Amino acid sequence: MTSLTRTLGALVLTAAAGFSLAACSTDASGAPAPSTSASSPAKPTKGKAKPLPAGESRVAGTVSTVSATQLVVTKKDGSTETLTTDSTTKIEGGPVQQGQRVTAIVKGEQALSVRVAQPHPSSGAPTSSAAPTTTPSS
């Protein structure tokens, strides 16, 4: 009987400790305190795209041809997507040109928005437009 009493006592202490920890995770108003665990970051991580509404999809790749009403994008896998553009297509990041990386939100074949990727400074593009300076020799 003593071992049963000790086992029950241990279970009661374990449960009490669990309730104490749960009580510590609330703020003064009784609302749950924000979690600080590493498994749930406070900010969305870069590269995680938001879910799209039903019927819409993302097309990312390099622009192979551009016209007034169409945009052909070559994806990483080598396949191409021909997207229809019109006055309602939202363009972000500058005018679309051949060779640029883009991400488009499409519904069917209609491009709803096209985001032009900005070149990274490490890609060889100049980071400054300042003219080089020379030191006069004496």
Side-chain angles (χ1 to χ4, degrees):
M1 186 84 165
T2 14
S3 75
L4 180 59
T5 306
R6 285 184 186 161
T7 304
L8 286 174
L11 287 173
V12 169
L13 287 174
T14 303
F19 288 127
S20 295
L21 290 175
C24 290
S25 67
T26 60
D27 64 14
S29 68
S35 173
T36 58
S37 71
S39 63
S40 58
K43 296 180 183 177
T45 58
K46 188 173 181 177
K48 295 283 183 177
K50 296 179 192 176
L52 295 173
E56 293 181 12
S57 61
R58 240 177 227 96
V59 174
T62 304
V63 176
S64 56
T65 59
V66 179
S67 74
T69 59
Q70 285 188 333
L71 177 69
V72 179
V73 177
T74 303
K75 300 188 291 187
K76 271 187 175 180
D77 65 4
S79 65
T80 59
E81 292 274 340
T82 301
L83 309 177
T84 303
T85 59
D86 60 21
S87 62
T88 64
T89 304
K90 181 179 175 185
I91 308 292
E92 299 175 38
V96 179
Q97 298 173 347
Q98 184 178 5
Q100 291 179 314
R101 299 262 321 141
V102 295
T103 301
I105 305 298
V106 299
K107 188 168 190 174
E109 291 182 359
Q110 175 65 41
L112 303 175
S113 68
V114 178
R115 179 176 294 177
V116 177
Q118 299 303 312
H120 295 287
S122 62
S123 67
T127 56
S128 154
S129 60
T133 57
T134 57
T135 307
S137 57
S138 43

